[in-house]
Amino acid sequence: MKTIITLLAQSQKQFINIIRIAIFIVMAWIGGLKAFPYEADGIVPFVANSPFMSFFYTNEAPEYAAYKNPEGKTVKKNIDWHAKNGTYLFAYGLGLVIIIIGIFTLLGIWFSKIGLIGGLLTFIMSIVTLSFLITSPEVYVPNLGGDFPTPHYGFPYLSGAGRLVLKDVIMMAGGLICASDSAKRYLAKNKYYS
């Protein structure tokens, strides 16, 4: 048991690099999916309801609700609406930004200054994503009625979208860990840190 504890204690640097790799995988995969209509359509409720991003779209919330495409199915009138709304153009740009953040974070394994930027951008991106818990009604279970005496809806009952958003707490912490490690290495390399 002591050997395992010693090994874990001596492996922190490698584990931080695993966090960098994990952040890169998530960012590259999710960012890459933004090029596909189903993923672009899926982020519309978050973007349209966000005071930080809604200006990217032509139409205001909640108009998008009438033009949702279920995952795995496309309806031409919905695709046309999203094209006019700016949904796809925004998603392409967002996807590219997300991939770049992932690459910067990964490069922190070798380049501390770039890794510092990647870690901080991961943290900032996570804060923006977590703000959807306040701005997007779709993150909580809706009240659809029913016979159950105490229906579970609204806060704190997260919907599938809400559970997806909440996971960014982990990305936020990972980004800070990567940024902190990169800052420490940068300062040590430049003899600013003792």
Side-chain angles (χ1 to χ4, degrees):
M1 184 67 153
K2 186 176 179 182
T3 307
I4 293 172
I5 293 172
T6 303
L7 179 65
L8 288 170
Q10 295 171 346
S11 301
Q12 185 176 16
K13 181 179 178 182
Q14 290 79 16
F15 295 155
I16 291 172
N17 286 338
I18 290 172
I19 292 173
R20 288 183 172 102
I21 293 166
I23 289 172
F24 168 74
I25 290 169
V26 170
M27 299 287 209
W29 199 332
I30 298 295
L33 286 176
K34 298 287 186 270
F36 297 93
Y38 89 96
E39 176 66 17
D41 295 354
I43 65 170
V44 169
F46 302 124
V47 177
N49 286 296
S50 171
F52 308 114
M53 292 187 276
S54 61
F55 67 89
F56 285 109
Y57 288 162
T58 304
N59 300 307
E60 295 183 13
E63 185 178 337
Y64 62 83
Y67 299 96
K68 288 184 177 181
N69 282 313
E71 287 187 14
K73 181 179 180 182
T74 54
V75 177
K76 182 164 178 10
K77 78 171 180 76
N78 295 349
I79 296 291
D80 293 343
W81 184 90
H82 284 289
K84 289 177 187 169
N85 186 47
T87 299
Y88 303 123
L89 185 60
F90 174 76
Y92 300 149
L94 179 61
L96 181 62
V97 167
I98 291 170
I99 291 169
I100 289 169
I101 293 171
I103 290 169
F104 275 31
T105 304
L106 179 67
L107 289 174
I109 294 172
W110 304 281
F111 307 102
S112 58
K113 192 185 252 185
I114 295 172
L116 173 61
I117 294 166
L120 290 174
L121 289 174
T122 299
F123 172 77
I124 292 166
M125 187 194 78
S126 299
I127 294 290
V128 172
T129 302
L130 288 167
S131 75
F132 299 150
L133 291 171
I134 299 168
T135 62
S136 298
E138 282 83 359
V139 298
Y140 297 104
V141 174
N143 182 2
L144 300 177
D147 297 329
F148 195 72
T150 55
H152 298 104
Y153 63 88
F155 180 84
Y157 304 106
L158 294 170
S159 66
R163 293 188 298 271
L164 178 71
V165 168
L166 187 62
K167 288 190 240 178
D168 261 51
V169 169
I170 299 167
M171 291 289 280
M172 181 179 67
L176 284 177
I177 289 169
C178 293
S180 174
D181 178 69
S182 292
K184 182 179 178 180
R185 288 174 29 235
Y186 175 79
L187 292 173
K189 180 181 174 184
N190 293 289
K191 307 206 186 314
Y192 298 124
Y193 188 75
S194 55

